[in-house]
Amino acid sequence: MKNKNLIGALALVLLTAAILGGIYWKNRTVPENTSYLEFLQMVEENQIAEVTLTDGAWIKFKLVDSGLEYLTENPRNPALKEELLKKNIPVAEGSLTTGKSVAGNAASIVFFCAVLFFVYRASNRAPMKSAMALNVTDASASQENSLCFDDIAGNEEAKDSVEDIVDFIRNPDKYARYGARMPRGVIFYGPPGTGKTLMAKAIAGEAGAPFYAVSGSDFVQMYVGVGASRVRELFQKARADRKAVIFIDEIDALGKKRSSNPQGGNDEREQTLNALLTEMSGFASGEGIVVIAATNRLDTLDEALLRPGRFDRQVEIGLPDLNARRSILNLHQKNKPISGAVNMNDLARQTVYFSGAMLENLLNEAAIFAAKRAADNITLEDIDKAYYTVVAGSEKKDRSGAAQKERQITAYHESGHALAAKFLSPENMVAKITIIPSTKGAGGFCVNIPPDKMYYTKKELESQIMIHFAGRAAEEIIFGADNVTTGASNDFEKARSLIQDYVMKYGMGKSLLYSEEGAREECRTLLEDLYIKTKKFLISRRDLLNAIAEELLRKETLTEGDLNQLVEAA
Ligand code: ATP
């Protein structure tokens, strides 16, 4: 295909050159050259009808009698024009366009365009097509399935902080009358799947305005200028509606902080961003149009975007807390036949750090498992299986493949963590312990969530380190020092980082100030002491350690309630 086009290009170029050459030779009207003296004589004898002074090296003149044109050298004498005018000879100033140069210029332009066009087509066939297609923005206003705030569970603070925006979209004139400058740009920031898109849709739904959704990355194209024209097109559409919510997901693609390298700029991105800011500042006062942008990381955005009059309202949409998780689960279980044995409160407690999207996904995956079994309803087992799919990729199909020994080691390792967390840091919550391996490779996990605090005491930091050590310590106690596994590497990393902070950042070691060597030595001694203390603690609760591990091996997963029961029974 490429070769064909190149041959076509060459053929066209040759043809154009031949035609233009023919025209040129046929209509050759090139003025003859004469000497400057001859020219002056002809001026004296009134033989000249008109003169063109060029800014180059030539004077062109036309004879009265024959109408023929001649060229002579231009001495660039500033007095010449006046002399000629005094003799009533019209003088024009301009460039020298002879038949030759017209033909020459035309030929080069056609040549250039032809080459450009064909080379471009030959090498870039597909992208050209897509660049054309991009002129039509695919953002489409959707009012069907319009959402409202009740479709969002939790996120109460965020809802509160956008309520006035809904009112503004509904009645822009009300705010204009008071001279209030409403935010035309709002940024929603927070982890993925927390409902940013949902919130933007609900604002449009509540305000009864069309919703236009695009992604920042759609704008950033290879072709300079395409993004900017897409922005203008999008705003044109929205303006035609008078009120609208324009949602730009992944605004980072457009508005990332500029790199410190001055050559690192991206023209296309900057042009698009400028077009966006220009459009935003050009809203008329009666228009109820709001631009909502979403990002996972506010700190990566260029400050220019966040200035007053731009995206000057920033709303955090964070991970749901326990209550919010409970209401998100309740919302999404509505159309699902969930078994009465499933306790949504428990599920909410076990899903710390889950986003709204993960919770929705959890119930959906569970429903799929139940549907596959053609069961009457969605059971706890379905939800359990779904839990691992959502948390750690899909559950390994062949769990029997995991050797019994490995299961045992994992069970003791996780029981060690759980036991230490329960006793050394009772304010921590052990949400779930499991030995089910996942495709992501984790042998099992124990969710141990330290409560949010402003400060941690020295004792609390030591306990944290001991909780990290308790997995390996349990392995050693039960299976012997030679049989410990690599499963603790992550735990050690965390312990090391904590002890470094403990000694160097918080000055909790023996001394406040250390040399680098001294600090390293202190960290090592402290870690060794804490490891021995952890082992001692587990040995003193060995029966309980056994009980938890055995229960884990039996049930594969223990909840906080199960753990509490075992502790109480001990
Ligand atoms: P991303 O940053 O990945 O674009 P997002 O924050 O825009 O994600 P959404 O696309 O709004 O997240 O959420 C995905 C889905 O998760 C929603 O369609 C909804 O089903 C569910 N969801 C998320 N948060 C909530 C919530 N607070 N209430 C109810 N459902 C929620």
Side-chain angles (χ1 to χ4, degrees):
M1 182 58 87
K2 276 186 183 181
N3 286 343
K4 243 184 170 175
N5 275 322
L6 277 172
I7 292 167
L10 275 174
L12 189 93
V13 168
L14 288 175
L15 194 69
T16 313
I19 292 170
L20 287 168
I23 293 170
Y24 165 59
W25 285 110
K26 194 161 176 266
N27 304 322
R28 197 164 173 260
T29 52
V30 184
E32 305 247 344
N33 285 1
T34 56
S35 74
Y36 188 62
L37 277 178
E38 266 182 293
F39 165 70
L40 288 181
Q41 202 175 344
M42 284 190 260
V43 171
E44 280 306 311
E45 291 167 4
N46 293 326
Q47 291 180 25
I48 292 178
E50 60 182 57
V51 171
T52 304
L53 298 174
T54 73
D55 42 11
W58 298 98
I59 294 174
K60 188 171 76 171
F61 60 95
K62 200 177 191 175
L63 296 187
V64 177
D65 296 343
S66 60
L68 283 175
E69 285 188 331
Y70 288 88
L71 290 177
T72 188
E73 246 171 296
N74 185 355
R76 293 190 180 87
N77 172 8
L80 178 65
K81 187 172 177 180
E82 192 185 355
E83 287 299 313
L84 294 169
L85 291 173
K86 274 187 192 161
K87 289 195 169 291
N88 214 15
I89 299 172
V91 179
E93 287 186 54
S95 57
L96 186 68
T97 46
T98 63
K100 187 172 166 184
S101 63
V102 168
N105 285 346
S108 19
I109 289 167
V110 173
F111 179 85
F112 184 69
C113 291
V115 170
L116 212 67
F117 178 73
F118 277 94
V119 168
Y120 183 64
R121 260 191 71 175
S123 64
N124 246 345
R125 236 177 138 73
M128 178 167 150
K129 246 180 152 180
S130 67
M132 309 277 268
L134 282 173
N135 279 330
V136 185
T137 161
D138 36 72
S140 52
S142 64
Q143 262 174 313
E144 75 274 11
N145 300 330
S146 79
L147 296 175
C148 61
F149 283 153
D150 284 346
D151 296 308
I152 305 172
N155 286 341
E156 296 305 330
E157 282 167 37
K159 277 189 220 170
D160 284 349
S161 59
V162 294
E163 237 161 36
D164 57 342
I165 291 177
V166 172
D167 194 38
F168 161 72
I169 300 172
R170 277 207 204 112
N171 319 297
D173 291 329
K174 172 170 133 189
Y175 291 86
R177 199 163 54 238
Y178 292 98
R181 186 179 60 75
M182 285 305 288
R184 292 307 178 83
V186 182
I187 287 199
F188 287 164
Y189 66 95
T194 43
K196 297 181 285 296
T197 314
L198 210 59
M199 184 69 82
K201 272 190 190 159
I203 291 176
E206 292 276 339
F211 180 72
Y212 291 90
V214 287
S215 171
S217 52
D218 293 346
F219 287 119
V220 185
Q221 304 294 337
M222 275 161 70
Y223 305 102
V224 177
V226 173
S229 82
R230 291 198 78 198
V231 167
R232 286 190 284 271
E233 204 175 323
L234 174 62
F235 278 77
Q236 217 174 353
K237 275 192 189 178
R239 280 215 172 87
D241 293 320
R242 302 287 295 162
K243 54 181 181 174
V245 170
I246 297 177
F247 179 67
I248 305 177
D249 206 357
E250 293 177 50
I251 187 77
D252 341 23
L254 283 182
K256 238 201 191 110
K257 272 192 184 116
R258 270 158 250 220
S259 67
S260 47
N261 171 11
Q263 261 104 56
N266 175 337
D267 269 2
E268 167 64 348
R269 220 187 60 189
E270 271 168 34
Q271 273 193 23
T272 311
L273 189 60
N274 286 341
L276 175 69
L277 296 176
T278 312
E279 290 293 334
M280 282 171 67
S281 58
F283 288 132
S285 63
E287 284 172 337
I289 300 176
V290 169
V291 185
I292 299 176
T295 178
N296 295 337
R297 303 253 332 253
L298 192 63
D299 57 320
T300 60
L301 292 185
D302 196 326
E303 278 95 31
L305 265 181
L306 311 176
R307 281 193 204 128
R310 296 176 171 180
F311 289 95
D312 51 0
R313 185 173 297 185
Q314 289 113 37
V315 179
E316 181 174 9
I317 306 212
L319 287 172
D321 60 11
L322 181 64
N323 268 333
R325 289 202 304 277
R326 203 178 290 138
S327 33
I328 294 173
L329 285 169
N330 280 332
L331 191 81
H332 288 289
Q333 66 144 14
K334 270 187 189 147
N335 58 350
K336 296 182 176 70
I338 295 189
S339 143
V342 177
N343 183 330
M344 283 297 156
N345 287 345
D346 287 351
L347 195 53
R349 286 176 75 81
Q350 291 160 5
T351 44
V352 189
Y353 298 140
F354 271 43
S355 66
M358 280 167 85
L359 293 170
E360 191 272 336
N361 198 13
L362 173 70
L363 294 184
N364 189 50
E365 290 289 335
I368 292 171
F369 283 128
K372 272 191 196 157
R373 293 190 296 115
D376 286 345
N377 50 27
I378 302 166
T379 62
L380 207 52
E381 284 70 43
D382 294 320
I383 291 183
D384 256 5
K385 270 168 104 179
Y387 188 96
Y388 301 112
T389 316
V390 174
V391 165
S394 60
E395 187 183 347
K396 272 190 183 165
K397 281 222 173 85
D398 181 19
R399 268 189 276 152
S400 61
Q404 184 59 19
K405 188 82 186 166
E406 254 178 46
R407 275 165 53 91
Q408 270 187 348
I409 294 173
T410 313
Y412 275 97
H413 183 107
E414 301 307 329
S415 300
H417 285 312
L419 189 57
K422 203 80 211 149
F423 284 86
L424 301 177
S425 221
E427 74 273 29
N428 281 6
M429 192 179 113
V430 182
K432 195 156 187 155
I433 325 164
T434 179
I435 56 164
I436 295 178
S438 78
T439 45
K440 284 192 183 157
F445 54 83
C446 155
V447 187
N448 162 41
I449 300 139
D452 253 357
K453 280 193 183 185
M454 228 141 45
Y455 306 112
Y456 289 95
T457 62
K458 182 173 158 153
K459 179 105 188 53
E460 281 165 343
L461 287 183
E462 287 172 5
S463 300
Q464 276 305 317
I465 294 172
M466 287 173 73
I467 294 169
H468 289 309
F469 275 158
R472 160 62 68 86
E475 286 182 36
E476 194 186 325
I477 293 164
I478 306 295
F479 305 101
D482 288 343
N483 295 316
V484 293
T485 67
T486 52
S489 67
N490 191 29
D491 299 334
F492 283 147
E493 224 168 83
K494 288 181 186 151
R496 261 195 300 270
S497 142
L498 269 175
I499 202 74
Q500 273 166 15
D501 286 351
Y502 177 101
V503 170
M504 287 178 266
K505 208 162 152 189
Y506 310 128
M508 290 174 175
K510 282 197 202 96
S511 159
L512 284 179
L513 297 166
Y514 290 95
S515 65
E516 206 174 299
E517 182 57 33
R520 214 176 300 141
E521 191 51 36
E522 169 90 11
C523 286
R524 207 173 59 98
T525 327
L526 278 169
L527 282 183
E528 276 168 5
D529 288 351
L530 286 170
Y531 186 73
I532 292 167
K533 261 176 93 178
T534 313
K535 268 205 312 196
K536 276 192 184 147
F537 160 75
L538 290 179
I539 290 167
S540 75
R541 313 293 320 218
R542 190 172 176 145
D543 287 348
L544 190 50
L545 180 70
N546 283 335
I548 300 171
E550 274 157 28
E551 189 74 348
L552 246 184
L553 281 167
R554 210 165 55 78
K555 289 173 85 176
E556 296 194 337
T557 302
L558 299 182
T559 63
E560 193 188 17
D562 297 331
L563 187 63
N564 287 343
Q565 268 182 12
L566 289 167
V567 172
E568 276 159 28

